[in-house]
Each structure stands twice: as structure tokens, then as C-alpha cells.
Amino acid sequence: MILEIVKYGHPVLREKGRPVTVITDEIRQLATDMLQTMYAANGVGLAAQQVGSALQLTVLDVADVKDRPSQMFMEGREQPVTDFMPLVLINPVVSDPVGEQVGPEGCLSIPDISADIRRADRITVTATNLDANRMEFACTGLLSRAIQHELDHLRGILFIDRMDPATRAGFAGQLKRMQQETLASLKKSPRRAKGASRV
Ligand code: ZN
């Protein structure tokens, strides 16, 4: 099922996700729906907050992006990224940031805005997958950038928070309008807004 992607101004985007303690059928369904929603929106990553659930859960797939490469390493050995897509990361933690990359970023919850964002180049990720198995890998490039973007979402942080101040100031009017539209639509359909925060 394709879910509604909540837009900038919705308070759930500023909520810190609760850890997923048990992988229930509901969580499995949510991950499946999030992947479907992400593909339908042509995104490479989607966090639970973006579909109205403040949980430590994110899905990613960079397999179809050819012009912005990614690398993935397990136990020090490089692995084909496509073998591990799509990724469902539950309670993910990032450690050991190495180097730096600056590149364009956007967000499905903040349409029509993109800017260069500075991120670590290589990171190490530990997470649980849908089979409740622990996984650990290192990654670089677009996958690393996308995971850092999604992990920010899981803590209520948005990519606009990481823009340099002058760039963000340039988007101030657009962001304000988006925020007002979102808040106005929440007032019009409070039941939907409440429903969006379930799970
Ligand atoms: Zn985003």
C-alpha cells in the first residue's frame, strides 16, 4: 500500500523515533509499504517519520542510481551493493565516520528544495534487519549519504538543518509557505493527522 508522505511542517518530522523492540507483522507490513511508497516517489530512502510513525525504522534502495556510485564493505571486504538492496534498517546506529563528501541532497518531505550538503564519506552501520538478524557494514558514496540523511530523520533532524545558513535563508520563504500549508491541512483533517501518528 502506498502511504501518504508527510510534508515539512508536520510535527512528526521533528519527533525522535522510538526503538523497535519486537518485529511484529505490523512492522513488517510498515516496511513493505514504506518501500512501495519510496519507489512510487522515485526516492532512494524513506524514514518511518515520513509516513507518520516515529520509529527507528528506515528503508533504502540505491541499486538503480548509476551516476552516483556507492560501495559497501562487510568484514573489510567489498560486496556488490545491489546484492543488499533494498535495505530495511531497524534501530540503526552509525559510527566511525571517515572523510567528507559534499553533494546535492533533497527530501521527499520537502519537495522542490535541494542543496549541497556536507556528509561523512565512509560510515559504519549496525542495524537489525526484518529477520531480526544483526548486520554490520561500512559504506561510501550515495548509500552513505542516504543512510546519514535517513538516520537524521529518525532523530527528528532534517537536511535543511545541515544547509549552510546563507543557503537555508534563501529557502526561508518557500519553507514558511510549506509549513503553513501543512499546518492548515492538519487543522482541516485532524482525524487523519492523528491516524498518521499511530504505531
Ligand atoms: Zn528526507
Side-chain angles (χ1 to χ4, degrees):
M1 186 173 71
I2 293 175
L3 306 171
E4 184 188 350
I5 297 176
V6 303
K7 297 295 184 303
Y8 179 68
H10 194 301
V12 73
L13 289 175
R14 290 303 190 183
E15 278 180 40
K16 194 175 179 330
R18 298 184 304 281
V20 175
T21 47
V22 187
I23 299 165
T24 57
D25 286 346
E26 203 177 8
I27 292 291
R28 269 186 277 269
Q29 188 60 51
L30 179 61
T32 304
D33 291 345
M34 283 170 62
L35 278 168
Q36 217 182 325
T37 304
M38 177 188 81
Y39 291 130
N42 293 316
V44 295
L46 193 67
Q49 272 80 348
Q50 293 181 276
V51 292
S53 296
L55 288 170
Q56 295 291 322
L57 167 67
T58 179
V59 299
L60 299 112
D61 194 338
V62 296
D64 285 339
V65 185
K66 305 294 178 215
D67 56 336
R68 299 173 72 191
S70 306
Q71 287 174 296
M72 207 164 162
F73 303 87
M74 273 178 185
E75 289 166 357
R77 233 177 295 160
E78 188 168 357
Q79 305 286 342
V81 172
T82 46
D83 286 4
F84 296 89
M85 298 297 129
L87 271 176
V88 176
L89 303 178
I90 296 167
N91 305 329
V93 175
V94 162
S95 60
D96 304 325
V98 180
E100 210 175 74
Q101 54 170 317
V102 178
E105 225 169 276
C107 179
L108 294 174
S109 292
I110 313 176
D112 305 325
I113 288 181
S114 67
D116 280 351
I117 304 290
R118 191 179 300 274
R119 300 278 186 187
D121 181 34
R122 180 181 170 128
I123 53 170
T124 299
V125 181
T126 51
T128 302
N129 67 16
L130 274 184
D131 300 321
N133 291 321
R134 197 93 189 121
M135 54 174 159
E136 180 173 337
F137 59 91
C139 58
T140 68
L142 178 63
L143 179 58
S144 168
R145 171 178 298 282
I147 290 176
Q148 290 172 75
H149 178 112
E150 299 315 326
L151 261 81
D152 274 354
H153 272 302
L154 302 187
R155 292 181 295 156
I157 297 166
L158 300 172
F159 88 111
I160 52 172
D161 305 338
R162 298 197 181 275
M163 282 180 187
D164 73 72
T167 308
R168 180 163 177 165
F171 290 120
Q174 223 174 319
L175 286 167
K176 181 114 197 138
R177 273 195 302 280
M178 209 183 297
Q179 188 173 37
Q180 283 167 346
E181 275 168 29
T182 301
L183 289 173
S185 72
L186 286 180
K187 263 184 214 148
K188 259 183 244 159
S189 53
R191 267 185 63 206
R192 192 155 152 207
K194 197 177 163 213
S197 299
R198 81 197 149 75
V199 183

